[in-house]
Amino acid sequence: MTIQEITTRKEDQTFDCKSIQIEPKALAVPIVAFANADGGVIAIGVSDKTRKIEGIDQHTEKLNELLRVPFDFCNPSVPVTCSYLPCTDKDGNENRILLMEIPASSSLHTNQADEAFMRVGDKSRKLTFDERVQLMYDKGERYYEDTAVYDATIDDIDMDAVADYAKLVGYGKSPLQYLRENNGFVRTNKKGEEEVSTACILLFGKYPQKFFPRARTRFIRYEGVDEKVGAEMNVIKDVTFEGTILNQVKKTIEFIETQVREHTFLGQHAQFVTKRDYPEFVIQEMTVNACCHRAYNIKGTEIQIKMFDDRLVFESPGKLPGQVKPNNIRHTHFSRNPKIAAFLKAYHFVKEFGEGFDRICREQEANGANVPSFRTDEFILKITVPKVAENVQKQDGNVTENGGKVAENQNKVAEKVAENHSKVTEKLKEKAAALGETLTANRIKILELMIEDPYISRADLAKNVGISETSIYRNIEAMRGKYLRRVGPDKGGFWEIII
């Protein structure tokens, strides 16, 4: 950052100027606000009103007080990085400006008066009690799924569902013992009364909507590309799924699959190719993410999945949690509801934590579509998944549904897919070399077929590779855990390549 940038840049979400005369307790406010938000830089020694350069060198005692603020006036302390920028002050003397770089924090910070602030635009806004609690949920300092559900009792729990899950995770005692001994699902309060947690009701409740009426998933299909209301309302499907989270996930995915179209066309090398509007994995992972990571303490609305002619939009209560941002979501993991996430992972709906969204992007890119985009409206996170381009509609090679030429669009997507597959294949070969192994031609072919179609059966693998199903099985077992893994059951699951 240069002197010119400091004197001309407007104060904003990540930048602020302060006079060297600022009181330590006053400086704690923007430090805490930046730490609780996206981080930022404070330039000290520049008047925030006139932008005149005061400098800091003539105020040694004051400077030392301000340097202690992140430790003495912030709770917990904020790990600020300080640096000095040479300058010429307003009186023409050589001087310096102090730059305090505040990182975004995974903790909630307060000042000495136990007040929490959040940077919003160019202001450090004091948080209300409810906003402060919400920030603690978002940062993972507290989990709403652990809170006790008022008036819920053991009688509200479906013990058969608990028994199924206990068996799945290898727990040998009774269902009630499982709830009392694991994850705080059922615990005893200071009065000696048993309390049932939010996660317990959402995962095992006989009717979770009795306590959380909007903890449900709603699918809406629109005709066209716009959401219209009133006399022009264009809703053609409107279905709501309730029950436990597991039931919602299963039923929602099943129903969306009935709304997804497939297009079969004559592709390269005179082979018929089938393309879907949206890859199966993308639908599954986006639905699971919406149910797994929504903010259940926001009770005024449900998850809404909206299908338009050109996109799917997943709307889930709550913002991106923790340190997850649109620019790092592909490789950053944070679970707003870790117990719910662990439950869905046991049922193979969640893969390795933190890998799902990167796989969504890769699936979209491999099919010639853009990756999902994000925006937050108030307290609703909206993720838009673009539809895979419709490459062909007619075998005679004239035009597609959207008016483009079949051959041109088809080649573009085919080139993108081929390029992506080639990169993955090369990485697999490099991995084998690092392990001191060599992938045979048959094994490379098997992996390439799985890249093209993660849902391919062993029978189809045998047919395409030209070996028996028994040989396919032996090759798969030899590569399992190193180059590929099975996600989900034998029937209905899919292959995932490990690179």
Side-chain angles (χ1 to χ4, degrees):
M1 183 171 286
T2 66
I3 294 296
Q4 184 178 3
E5 289 174 332
I6 291 173
T7 55
T8 58
R9 179 177 172 179
K10 293 183 178 179
E11 294 181 343
D12 57 25
Q13 181 72 22
T14 58
F15 178 69
D16 204 348
C17 287
K18 295 298 178 187
S19 168
I20 186 64
Q21 301 297 339
I22 189 172
E23 289 300 315
K25 65 180 181 181
L27 180 60
V29 170
I31 292 177
V32 163
F34 280 133
N36 285 336
D38 302 318
V41 174
I42 302 176
I44 299 176
V46 180
S47 171
D48 53 344
K49 296 180 180 179
T50 66
R51 286 301 177 94
K52 289 183 178 180
I53 300 176
E54 305 168 342
I56 59 173
D57 287 348
Q58 68 275 37
H59 302 281
T60 303
E61 185 176 346
K62 186 72 172 183
L63 175 62
N64 289 332
E65 290 180 0
L66 299 184
L67 288 172
R68 292 196 298 269
V69 169
F71 307 95
D72 297 343
F73 289 82
C74 301
N75 184 35
S77 61
V78 178
V80 171
T81 300
C82 293
S83 60
Y84 298 91
L85 186 65
C87 67
T88 300
D89 63 29
K90 58 184 176 59
D91 297 321
N93 300 317
E94 290 187 3
N95 214 315
R96 293 182 302 165
I97 290 173
L98 170 65
L99 298 180
M100 280 190 166
E101 185 174 347
I102 300 100
S105 177
S106 58
S107 300
L108 179 134
H109 296 268
T110 62
N111 62 5
Q112 269 196 328
D114 196 35
E115 298 169 321
F117 295 84
M118 172 76 80
R119 190 71 176 185
V120 180
D122 61 351
K123 304 295 182 184
S124 298
R125 188 168 69 80
K126 184 178 176 180
L127 300 181
T128 65
F129 175 80
D130 289 341
E131 289 171 333
R132 180 170 172 167
V133 171
Q134 179 63 55
L135 186 60
M136 294 177 74
Y137 290 145
D138 289 342
K139 289 180 176 291
E141 290 201 343
R142 292 174 60 179
Y143 296 106
Y144 182 74
E145 64 175 0
D146 291 333
T147 59
V149 180
Y150 177 73
D151 213 26
T153 68
I154 297 296
D155 292 336
D156 294 302
I157 301 171
D158 181 354
M159 289 300 174
D160 289 338
V162 180
D164 289 342
Y165 183 67
K167 181 179 179 181
L168 182 67
V169 297
Y171 183 86
K173 300 179 184 179
S174 72
L176 184 55
Q177 284 176 298
Y178 176 81
L179 295 178
R180 287 171 173 165
E181 295 179 1
N182 292 275
N183 295 313
F185 285 137
V186 174
R187 54 183 178 266
T188 303
N189 62 23
K190 294 180 180 179
K191 297 180 181 179
E193 304 166 331
E194 283 195 323
E195 297 178 332
V196 180
S197 74
T198 294
C200 186
I201 290 295
L202 292 172
L203 296 175
F204 306 115
K206 292 177 180 177
Y207 183 50
Q209 285 69 39
K210 171 184 175 183
F211 303 98
F212 303 97
R214 304 301 287 274
R216 60 193 188 191
T217 306
R218 182 182 176 191
F219 175 86
I220 310 170
R221 182 167 184 173
Y222 295 89
E223 184 175 28
V225 297
D226 297 313
E227 184 177 340
K228 300 177 181 179
V229 297
E232 295 183 335
M233 182 177 288
N234 56 335
V235 174
I236 56 177
K237 293 278 186 183
D238 191 342
V239 186
T240 298
F241 304 97
E242 296 187 339
T244 63
I245 288 177
L246 182 62
N247 182 71
Q248 290 182 51
V249 167
K250 288 180 176 179
K251 295 300 182 183
T252 302
I253 293 172
E254 288 175 4
F255 187 81
I256 295 177
E257 282 294 326
T258 68
Q259 304 299 303
V260 175
R261 294 185 301 165
E262 294 184 343
H263 313 285
T264 301
F265 57 92
L266 191 62
Q268 293 181 327
H269 311 300
Q271 293 182 338
F272 281 98
V273 178
T274 297
K275 290 288 183 183
R276 295 161 45 95
D277 287 348
Y278 305 94
E280 288 183 65
F281 177 84
V282 172
I283 290 173
Q284 173 175 309
E285 188 70 12
M286 288 299 303
T287 302
V288 170
N289 280 347
C291 293
C292 182
H293 299 302
R294 73 158 283 181
Y296 284 96
N297 61 302
I298 299 175
K299 302 178 181 179
T301 186
E302 67 272 288
I303 294 167
Q304 294 191 4
I305 303 172
K306 299 177 179 179
M307 177 180 279
F308 299 88
D309 288 355
D310 62 346
R311 67 195 187 279
L312 270 173
V313 180
F314 292 78
E315 300 183 358
S316 184
K319 301 178 181 180
L320 285 174
Q323 300 299 306
V324 181
K325 307 295 178 185
N327 63 348
N328 69 8
I329 191 171
R330 291 183 69 161
H331 306 289
T332 302
H333 170 68
F334 180 92
S335 180
R336 180 179 272 119
N337 305 294
K339 294 177 178 61
I340 294 174
F343 174 91
L344 290 174
K345 189 175 189 297
Y347 279 100
H348 303 293
F349 280 105
V350 172
K351 307 189 302 80
E352 294 302 316
F353 291 129
E355 295 183 5
F357 200 80
D358 183 49
R359 171 72 185 276
I360 288 173
C361 294
R362 286 189 280 122
E363 289 272 353
Q364 287 289 104
E365 291 168 338
N367 283 279
N370 291 328
V371 299
S373 59
F374 302 79
R375 91 168 185 270
T376 301
D377 288 344
E378 296 296 333
F379 53 85
I380 303 294
L381 174 63
K382 299 184 179 182
I383 306 179
T384 298
V385 181
K387 184 178 180 180
V388 171
E390 294 182 3
N391 305 308
V392 293
Q393 292 294 313
K394 298 182 180 179
Q395 293 184 22
D396 61 9
N398 289 330
V399 295
T400 63
E401 187 176 284
N402 61 12
K405 292 181 180 179
V406 170
E408 182 180 352
N409 286 342
Q410 180 179 318
N411 287 337
K412 286 181 179 179
V413 175
E415 289 172 5
K416 182 72 175 178
V417 172
E419 179 185 354
N420 184 72
H421 290 177
S422 177
K423 290 179 180 178
V424 175
T425 301
E426 287 305 312
K427 287 184 179 180
L428 289 168
K429 290 179 180 178
E430 292 172 4
K431 182 175 184 178
L435 294 173
E437 301 176 353
T438 300
L439 287 172
T440 64
N442 282 344
R443 290 181 182 178
I444 290 174
K445 183 63 176 177
I446 290 170
L447 293 169
E448 288 177 339
L449 290 167
M450 288 177 174
I451 294 169
E452 293 177 9
D453 180 8
Y455 297 86
I456 193 169
S457 66
R458 286 177 185 162
D460 286 338
L461 285 170
K463 181 180 178 181
N464 283 277
V465 178
I467 58 179
S468 68
E469 286 191 45
T470 301
S471 295
I472 290 291
Y473 174 80
R474 282 201 288 269
N475 278 283
I476 287 175
E477 290 306 305
M479 295 189 289
R480 193 189 293 267
K482 289 189 291 186
Y483 306 102
L484 59 87
R485 65 166 69 95
R486 185 72 178 175
V487 179
D490 288 341
K491 185 176 181 181
F494 57 88
W495 299 105
E496 182 179 23
I497 304 303
I498 305 173
I499 56 176

